[in-house]
Amino acid sequence: MTQDTINVQRGVVSAGADFDTYVLAPNLIEPGAGITISDGGSNRVQLIGGLEIVSSQVANDGLRLVLNNGATVTVLDAAGYEFETGGNPLLGVPGVRRTFEEFSQEVLGVAVPGA
């Protein structure tokens, strides 16, 4: 199994069928960018320290984050993702890993509808 690490900046992002890590870093995401992560199966979204979420919307299998620089991040098929906060995969520093449901409750403060 191969694994890709993708630094997300803008646009629609998808890496393929294998397990992939989508890195959201405050110094890489363009201000006001519209980002959609669309990659079915098991994947990870890595939210590197310093990233500030100002609002969110959670659905049963998706989420939308609005960041402090005005960028919007939509994750489709989010129930199959793992969400890692803090750390830095590029430097080998681990963060805290959570399921979609745990991330929604513990970080965003909302329950996943229907969960």
Side-chain angles (χ1 to χ4, degrees):
M1 176 169 104
T2 62
Q3 178 178 343
D4 295 319
T5 299
I6 300 94
N7 292 315
V8 178
Q9 294 177 305
R10 67 191 168 301
V12 177
V13 184
S14 180
D18 294 325
F19 185 91
D20 302 304
T21 299
Y22 294 91
V23 178
L24 301 175
N27 60 329
L28 294 177
I29 296 176
E30 295 179 3
I35 299 166
T36 300
I37 299 172
S38 176
D39 188 350
S42 297
N43 296 289
R44 178 181 303 131
V45 173
Q46 171 90 36
L47 298 104
I48 291 183
L51 190 68
E52 186 178 337
I53 300 168
V54 296
S55 68
S56 62
Q57 295 175 317
V58 176
N60 66 339
D61 195 17
L63 73 96
R64 183 176 188 180
L65 307 173
V66 177
L67 308 179
N68 64 331
N69 70 353
T72 302
V73 179
T74 302
V75 181
L76 305 176
D77 298 318
Y81 283 68
E82 173 180 85
F83 291 81
E84 186 169 352
T85 54
N88 187 329
L90 304 175
L91 300 175
V93 178
V96 177
R97 294 182 181 175
R98 296 175 176 91
T99 65
F100 172 56
E101 188 173 328
E102 292 167 340
F103 176 76
S104 295
Q105 292 175 349
E106 296 171 14
V107 176
L108 303 177
V110 297
V112 174

